[in-house]
Amino acid sequence: MHGLDIVIPAKDPRPDFLETADLWLAQVLPEGWSSHLFIVDDGSNGFDFDVLVRRHAGRLTLISHAHSRGRAGACNAGVWAGTGEYVAFFDADCFPAHADVLVSFINSLQSGADIVYGPLTSQGEGFWGRYFRAVCQRRERSFAQGDAFALTTACCVVRRELLQQVGGFDERYRRYGFEDRDLIIRLMALEPMVAFSDGSLVVHGDDLRLEDICRKQQDAGRFTSGLFQERHPDYYRQTAFARVDSRQGSFLNWIAWILPLVLPGLLRLGQLAIASDLLPYPLKALLVKLLSGVFYFKGTRQSGVES
């Protein structure tokens, strides 16, 4: 019997997370395969995970952290609690598009793959749904063109043996950013067989907001970019992040003095622009990228300062 452990880290998930968990446990599996769902509550406030435990006794394990350990630590807790031959990672705000998502992953695994990624999409037709789909499609094109580090663990399955060899996620990434890419770089050093499963479509909930995206980018610049840069300096220098990193001689250093004065206003203007029906999508998307980059730059200037 082949075992597949499904690991979902969750911190204050959306109200429909109960239905998301139901959908993962309703997945069809081929003969000779079993699955177990590990939900890691990473310091949530108020969400009743026990409902799921009662509903799916025996098929679901809840791991609770009194205080957040970050996504890396939450994922590791799920990984090491299981014993399955393979480990699937999904984000809490993502759900399977159909009942055969895991079957499609398993078909690739049975063909010899050690790591299998699946496509991500968005259900909405508004700006944020379109923007998310564009980001995912760009990553998929990069992966297809040979960039082995282009995708994330928001929708993927990894052979447990590989995770054991690299020690799982690096739990020093306690805040947002780079924990995925760090793990993937270390996994790829083992020269695994990697595949992309078109049939393993997963849908992302459309609750993105500009202020949240900018805050996450600032956190990544402040709290985790330094560790990633230290561990993978050559790779980091090739990324777009390096171009807006104050420690890498970013052109934004020339105007750093004015940013604290204008960033709050720019964020408000950005929110209004995205909500407007007058601006075309390409301009809105460019605005998101520019503001994300500026907030990442701001975070790198605060690097090393805890809060």
Side-chain angles (χ1 to χ4, degrees), residues 30-273:
E31 185 177 352
W33 284 78
S34 65
S35 68
H36 192 90
L37 178 58
F38 293 87
I39 295 176
V40 185
D41 169 17
D42 193 39
S44 298
N45 295 306
F47 191 92
D48 186 8
F49 289 95
D50 290 334
V51 173
L52 283 170
V53 177
R54 293 191 297 269
R55 186 183 299 180
H56 300 290
R59 298 192 61 204
L60 181 151
T61 296
L62 174 65
I63 302 168
S64 297
H65 294 167
H67 304 286
S68 176
R69 289 168 47 184
R71 185 173 181 274
C75 284
N76 276 352
V79 171
W80 307 136
T83 59
E85 183 180 353
Y86 299 94
V87 181
F89 296 102
F90 302 106
D91 282 353
D93 54 2
C94 295
F95 59 90
H98 52 80
D100 294 322
V101 166
L102 294 184
V103 167
S104 296
F105 274 120
I106 288 170
N107 288 340
S108 294
L109 295 172
Q110 290 181 322
S111 296
D114 300 301
I115 301 173
V116 186
Y117 296 103
L120 285 166
T121 189
S122 179
Q123 60 186 338
E125 297 303 324
F127 169 78
W128 288 114
R130 185 176 176 184
Y131 183 81
F132 183 83
R133 285 193 293 273
V135 170
C136 294
Q137 290 164 4
R138 185 170 63 249
R139 288 174 176 168
E140 290 174 20
R141 286 194 300 270
S142 296
F143 178 78
Q145 293 166 1
D147 183 355
F149 313 119
L151 300 177
T152 74
T153 63
C155 177
C156 81
V157 180
V158 183
R159 187 184 295 274
R160 175 178 293 277
E161 181 182 352
L162 270 65
L163 292 169
Q164 291 172 333
Q165 287 185 51
V166 301
F169 286 85
D170 186 336
E171 296 191 25
R172 289 179 294 175
Y173 293 95
R174 296 185 61 87
R175 303 290 283 265
Y176 175 84
F178 294 107
E179 75 283 349
D180 261 9
R181 207 164 297 196
D182 175 90
L183 175 67
I184 292 168
I185 289 173
R186 290 184 287 118
L187 286 172
M188 293 307 298
L190 302 177
E191 300 183 348
M193 181 179 291
V194 183
F196 188 87
S197 173
D198 291 306
S200 299
L201 182 64
V202 169
V203 184
H204 179 268
D206 299 317
D207 55 354
L208 298 176
R209 299 191 308 164
L210 180 61
E211 56 267 43
D212 292 337
I213 289 175
C214 290
R215 175 184 53 79
K216 286 182 175 180
Q217 291 302 318
Q218 183 175 343
D219 280 355
R222 179 176 181 178
F223 297 110
T224 57
S225 66
L227 174 59
F228 185 80
Q229 178 185 350
E230 177 185 335
R231 295 205 62 179
H232 311 286
D234 294 336
Y235 178 84
Y236 185 77
R237 280 193 293 269
Q238 300 172 27
T239 67
F241 295 107
R243 293 196 288 272
V244 289
D245 189 324
S246 64
R247 300 159 301 192
Q248 298 283 316
S250 170
F251 65 95
L252 290 173
N253 284 329
W254 292 96
I255 58 170
W257 63 274
I258 201 174
L259 290 180
L261 302 176
V262 301
L263 271 185
L266 288 176
L267 183 58
R268 286 193 294 271
L269 286 174
Q271 293 166 336
L272 292 173

